Short mmCIF file of all heavy atoms in Angstrom, two decimals:
data_model
loop_
_atom_site.label_atom_id
_atom_site.label_comp_id
_atom_site.label_asym_id
_atom_site.label_seq_id
_atom_site.Cartn_x
_atom_site.Cartn_y
_atom_site.Cartn_z
N MET A 365 26.66 40.78 60.00
CA MET A 365 25.48 40.06 59.52
C MET A 365 25.76 39.55 58.12
O MET A 365 26.11 40.31 57.21
CB MET A 365 24.25 40.97 59.51
CG MET A 365 23.93 41.52 60.92
SD MET A 365 22.28 42.22 61.08
CE MET A 365 22.42 42.97 62.72
N GLY A 366 25.65 38.22 57.96
CA GLY A 366 25.87 37.59 56.66
C GLY A 366 24.55 37.22 56.01
O GLY A 366 23.57 36.97 56.70
N THR A 367 24.53 37.21 54.68
CA THR A 367 23.32 36.76 53.99
C THR A 367 23.65 35.56 53.09
O THR A 367 24.77 35.42 52.60
CB THR A 367 22.67 37.87 53.14
OG1 THR A 367 23.58 38.26 52.11
CG2 THR A 367 22.32 39.08 53.98
N TYR A 368 22.67 34.73 52.90
CA TYR A 368 22.84 33.45 52.19
C TYR A 368 21.69 33.25 51.21
O TYR A 368 20.58 33.72 51.43
CB TYR A 368 22.80 32.28 53.18
CG TYR A 368 23.91 32.29 54.19
CD1 TYR A 368 23.86 33.14 55.31
CD2 TYR A 368 25.02 31.46 54.05
CE1 TYR A 368 24.88 33.14 56.25
CE2 TYR A 368 26.04 31.47 54.99
CZ TYR A 368 25.97 32.30 56.08
OH TYR A 368 26.97 32.32 57.01
N ALA A 369 22.00 32.46 50.15
CA ALA A 369 20.93 31.95 49.27
C ALA A 369 20.83 30.45 49.50
O ALA A 369 21.83 29.77 49.75
CB ALA A 369 21.25 32.24 47.82
N ARG A 370 19.61 29.97 49.41
CA ARG A 370 19.35 28.53 49.56
C ARG A 370 19.37 27.89 48.18
O ARG A 370 18.58 28.25 47.30
CB ARG A 370 17.98 28.35 50.21
CG ARG A 370 17.55 26.92 50.36
CD ARG A 370 16.16 26.89 50.98
NE ARG A 370 15.63 25.54 50.93
CZ ARG A 370 15.10 24.92 51.98
NH1 ARG A 370 15.01 25.53 53.14
NH2 ARG A 370 14.63 23.70 51.87
N ILE A 371 20.29 26.95 47.98
CA ILE A 371 20.48 26.30 46.69
C ILE A 371 20.13 24.83 46.83
O ILE A 371 20.53 24.18 47.80
CB ILE A 371 21.97 26.42 46.23
CG1 ILE A 371 22.41 27.89 46.22
CG2 ILE A 371 22.19 25.77 44.89
CD1 ILE A 371 21.69 28.77 45.25
N GLU A 372 19.37 24.33 45.86
CA GLU A 372 18.97 22.93 45.91
C GLU A 372 19.50 22.23 44.67
O GLU A 372 19.28 22.72 43.55
CB GLU A 372 17.43 22.86 45.95
CG GLU A 372 16.92 21.70 46.77
CD GLU A 372 15.43 21.81 47.04
OE1 GLU A 372 14.97 22.87 47.52
OE2 GLU A 372 14.72 20.83 46.75
N ASP A 373 20.19 21.10 44.86
CA ASP A 373 20.71 20.39 43.68
C ASP A 373 19.61 19.48 43.11
O ASP A 373 18.54 19.34 43.72
CB ASP A 373 22.02 19.66 44.02
CG ASP A 373 21.81 18.44 44.90
OD1 ASP A 373 20.67 18.00 45.05
OD2 ASP A 373 22.81 17.96 45.46
N PRO A 374 19.86 18.85 41.95
CA PRO A 374 18.79 18.05 41.32
C PRO A 374 18.29 16.91 42.22
O PRO A 374 17.15 16.45 42.08
CB PRO A 374 19.46 17.49 40.06
CG PRO A 374 20.57 18.46 39.76
CD PRO A 374 21.05 18.94 41.09
N GLU A 375 19.13 16.46 43.15
CA GLU A 375 18.69 15.38 44.06
C GLU A 375 17.89 15.93 45.24
O GLU A 375 17.44 15.16 46.09
CB GLU A 375 19.91 14.60 44.60
CG GLU A 375 20.54 13.64 43.60
CD GLU A 375 21.36 14.34 42.54
OE1 GLU A 375 22.17 15.21 42.93
OE2 GLU A 375 21.17 14.07 41.35
N GLY A 376 17.76 17.23 45.30
CA GLY A 376 16.98 17.82 46.39
C GLY A 376 17.80 18.16 47.62
O GLY A 376 17.26 18.53 48.65
N ASN A 377 19.13 18.02 47.53
CA ASN A 377 19.98 18.39 48.66
C ASN A 377 20.07 19.91 48.75
O ASN A 377 20.27 20.58 47.73
CB ASN A 377 21.39 17.80 48.50
CG ASN A 377 21.35 16.30 48.41
OD1 ASN A 377 20.74 15.63 49.24
ND2 ASN A 377 21.98 15.76 47.36
N VAL A 378 19.94 20.38 49.97
CA VAL A 378 19.94 21.83 50.20
C VAL A 378 21.28 22.27 50.76
O VAL A 378 21.82 21.62 51.66
CB VAL A 378 18.81 22.19 51.20
CG1 VAL A 378 18.94 23.64 51.66
CG2 VAL A 378 17.45 21.95 50.56
N LYS A 379 21.81 23.35 50.22
CA LYS A 379 22.96 23.98 50.87
C LYS A 379 22.82 25.50 50.76
O LYS A 379 22.18 26.02 49.85
CB LYS A 379 24.28 23.51 50.28
CG LYS A 379 24.57 24.02 48.90
CD LYS A 379 26.01 23.67 48.50
CE LYS A 379 26.29 24.15 47.08
NZ LYS A 379 27.62 23.80 46.61
N LEU A 380 23.44 26.16 51.72
CA LEU A 380 23.44 27.62 51.68
C LEU A 380 24.73 28.10 51.05
O LEU A 380 25.80 27.55 51.29
CB LEU A 380 23.34 28.20 53.10
CG LEU A 380 22.07 27.92 53.87
CD1 LEU A 380 22.10 28.69 55.20
CD2 LEU A 380 20.83 28.31 53.07
N VAL A 381 24.59 29.16 50.25
CA VAL A 381 25.75 29.83 49.68
C VAL A 381 25.77 31.24 50.24
O VAL A 381 24.77 31.97 50.15
CB VAL A 381 25.67 29.85 48.14
CG1 VAL A 381 26.83 30.66 47.57
CG2 VAL A 381 25.68 28.44 47.59
N LYS A 382 26.90 31.59 50.84
CA LYS A 382 26.99 32.92 51.46
C LYS A 382 27.15 33.99 50.39
O LYS A 382 27.99 33.87 49.50
CB LYS A 382 28.18 32.96 52.42
CG LYS A 382 28.20 34.22 53.26
CD LYS A 382 29.15 34.06 54.44
CE LYS A 382 29.07 35.28 55.35
NZ LYS A 382 29.83 35.08 56.57
N ARG A 383 26.33 35.00 50.50
CA ARG A 383 26.37 36.07 49.51
C ARG A 383 27.37 37.14 49.93
O ARG A 383 28.25 37.52 49.18
CB ARG A 383 24.98 36.67 49.34
CG ARG A 383 24.94 37.85 48.37
CD ARG A 383 23.54 38.42 48.23
NE ARG A 383 22.66 37.48 47.53
CZ ARG A 383 21.61 36.88 48.05
NH1 ARG A 383 21.28 37.08 49.32
NH2 ARG A 383 20.86 36.06 47.35
N ASP A 384 27.23 37.61 51.18
CA ASP A 384 28.12 38.68 51.65
C ASP A 384 27.97 38.81 53.16
O ASP A 384 27.14 38.12 53.77
CB ASP A 384 27.79 40.02 50.98
CG ASP A 384 26.36 40.47 51.22
OD1 ASP A 384 25.68 39.92 52.12
OD2 ASP A 384 25.90 41.39 50.53
N SER A 385 28.77 39.67 53.73
CA SER A 385 28.54 40.02 55.13
C SER A 385 28.82 41.51 55.32
O SER A 385 29.64 42.09 54.61
CB SER A 385 29.39 39.16 56.07
OG SER A 385 30.73 39.50 55.97
#
Side-chain angles (χ1 to χ4, degrees):
M365 301 196 189
T367 63
Y368 297 79
R370 177 182 171 130
I371 305 296
E372 214 168 308
D373 72 14
E375 284 76 47
N377 301 310
V378 169
K379 72 171 178 182
L380 295 186
V381 175
K382 189 165 185 172
R383 177 180 291 115
D384 59 14
S385 70

